[in-house]
């Protein structure tokens, strides 16, 4: 699991994934009473997870595993009144810091003196779930309570969201018993194999808010090349495209045009990428459409890092990149349904 829904465009998102565990989970501590009563309270627990991620003050270290590597980040999240502040510092590889104040996200690469400032992607990162209706989620997943466990020293309830078809992966969730904060999440493939995971290794809940530590850091842009991508709301049909047979269970939740140039890829300025995001209430699929370039788009590509699959191929005069934490067969359904009008 990536800290879900990473921003910018496909290769940038793939680069932020880490490494797969590739092992089966041993199971929670047996707790018959909790397991028997939890499914009835499942919707309430999912609501608590949403609320805790946005309304609690917490800080700690999170470890991500996917595709053969392990990365970690320090996370601080503060709420004060209606304001939200967040700081995420990568502890591995190239230095990278993500700062957020409400809807404004600022990503900084100190080594290359680059910074990107843009509005927050509405897709929820861990430790939250995608905002959705209960009907949409439980129409596609069955909720199973699996007992109790401990994560980073915190007692937790363990839930399994089991897909009702083969178009999506299962997810196992560990929620703090006292607050509902999501402590760990695993994405599961066949035979319960862990494809990717994110978990706090240390965590303090209820810390004192320090909004100034985030605001001051956001102002330190002297010497940086600052990119401010402009995201323009768009409509798939108005751009000349349609999804002739929607993939069952997925709804379009976002459609924007964004500049092709990014701090990571540094592509030619002036071109735009159309980004369409579909969600089933738990995970998402992003479709990126850009003009075909003989220099950059040499051949079709299928890749996977942990649970994140990516499919890149030519579509007439266009290049389409489809990616998400779903089976490759699901991405193929999206590509097959995409039609130029």
């Amino acid at each position: 699991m990536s800290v879900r829904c990473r921003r910018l465009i496909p290769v940038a998102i793939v680069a932020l994934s880490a490494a797969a565990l590739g092992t089966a989970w041993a199971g929670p501590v047996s707790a018959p009473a909790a397991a028997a009563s939890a499914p009835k309270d499942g919707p309430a627990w999912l609501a608590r997870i949403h609320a805790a991620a946005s309304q609690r003050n917490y800080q700690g270290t999170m470890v991500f595993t996917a595709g053969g590597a392990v990365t970690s980040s320090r996370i601080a999240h503060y709420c004060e009144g209606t304001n939200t502040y967040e700081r995420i510092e990568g502890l591995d590889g190239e230095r990278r810091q993500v700062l957020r104040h409400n809807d404004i996200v600022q990503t900084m690469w100190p080594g290359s003196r680059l910074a990107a400032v843009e509005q927050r992607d509405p897709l929820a990162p861990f430790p939250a779930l995608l905002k959705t209706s209960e009907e949409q989620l439980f129409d596609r997943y069955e909720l199973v309570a699996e007992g109790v466990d401990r994560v980073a020293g915190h007692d937790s309830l363990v839930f399994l969201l089991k897909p009702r078809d083969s178009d999506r992966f299962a997810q196992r969730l560990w929620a703090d018993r006292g607050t509902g904060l999501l402590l760990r999440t695993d994405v599961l493939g066949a035979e319960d194999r862990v494809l990717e995971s994110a978990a706090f290794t240390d965590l303090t809940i209820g810390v004192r808010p320090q909004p100034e530590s985030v605001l001051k850091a956001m102002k330190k842009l002297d010497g940086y090349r600052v990119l401010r991508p402009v995201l323009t709301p768009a409509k798939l049909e108005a751009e000349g495209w349609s999804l002739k047979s929607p993939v069952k269970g997925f709804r379009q939740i976002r459609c924007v045009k964004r500049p092709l140039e990014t701090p990571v890829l540094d592509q030619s300025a002036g071109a735009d990428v159309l980004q369409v995001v579909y969600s089933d209430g738990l995970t998402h699929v992003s479709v990126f459409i850009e003009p075909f370039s003989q220099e950059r788009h040499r051949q079709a590509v299928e890749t996977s890092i942990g649970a994140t699959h990516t499919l890149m191929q030519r579509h007439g005069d266009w290049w389409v990149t489809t990616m998400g934490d779903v089976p490759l067969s699901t991405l193929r359904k999206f590509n097959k349904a995409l039609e130029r009008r």
Side-chain angles (χ1 to χ4, degrees), residues 93-242:
E94 182 182 5
R95 290 181 60 198
R96 176 176 173 274
Q97 183 178 61
V98 179
L99 304 164
R100 179 169 74 90
H101 176 212
N102 295 334
D103 292 335
I104 302 300
V105 175
Q106 181 171 302
T107 306
M108 304 173 70
W109 291 265
S112 51
R113 309 300 288 175
L114 284 171
V117 182
E118 59 183 324
Q119 285 192 320
R120 182 189 186 190
D121 193 313
L123 300 178
F126 180 84
L129 300 176
L130 297 180
K131 186 176 181 181
T132 182
S133 67
E134 295 173 10
E135 293 79 7
Q136 183 186 2
L137 184 63
F138 292 117
D139 187 42
R140 301 300 164 204
Y141 296 87
E142 175 189 1
L143 182 68
V144 180
E146 296 191 329
V148 298
D149 202 0
R150 276 172 57 79
V151 177
H154 294 262
D155 292 333
S156 63
L157 292 181
V158 186
F159 299 95
L160 176 68
L161 283 166
K162 185 177 179 181
R164 300 183 187 276
D165 57 36
S166 59
D167 286 340
R168 56 213 91 227
F169 293 126
Q171 292 195 31
R172 180 170 283 121
L173 313 173
W174 284 255
D176 177 62
R177 199 163 190 169
T179 64
L181 187 68
L182 199 57
L183 305 176
R184 173 179 168 180
T185 178
D186 289 355
V187 182
L188 309 176
E191 299 179 349
D192 246 14
R193 179 172 177 263
V194 179
L195 301 177
E196 62 184 36
S197 179
F200 282 108
T201 56
D202 70 77
L203 174 67
T204 303
I205 303 174
V207 298
R208 179 176 62 85
Q210 301 178 53
E212 283 303 315
S213 66
V214 176
L215 295 176
K216 287 182 179 179
M218 294 181 79
K219 296 175 182 178
K220 294 181 178 179
L221 290 173
D222 290 346
Y224 278 79
R225 181 164 72 97
V226 181
L227 302 180
R228 301 180 186 273
V230 178
L231 306 185
T232 306
K235 292 184 178 181
L236 187 66
E237 294 76 13
E239 296 297 328
W241 297 90
S242 65

Side-chain angles (χ1 to χ4, degrees), residues 41-77:
D41 300 331
W45 267 99
L46 294 183
R48 288 190 71 191
I49 289 171
H50 277 295
S54 60
Q55 299 171 11
R56 296 282 178 175
N57 294 308
Y58 54 88
Q59 60 187 32
T61 303
M62 188 179 291
V63 173
F64 311 96
T65 62
V70 177
T71 61
S72 56
S73 299
R74 285 287 298 171
I75 296 179
H77 182 276

Side-chain angles (χ1 to χ4, degrees), residues 11 14 23 41 63 83 124 130 155 178 215 256 269 289-290 296 303:
V11 176
V14 172
T23 57
D41 300 331
V63 173
N83 291 298
L130 297 180
D155 292 333
L215 295 176
V256 297
I289 304 171
E290 62 185 278
R296 294 186 293 111
T303 65

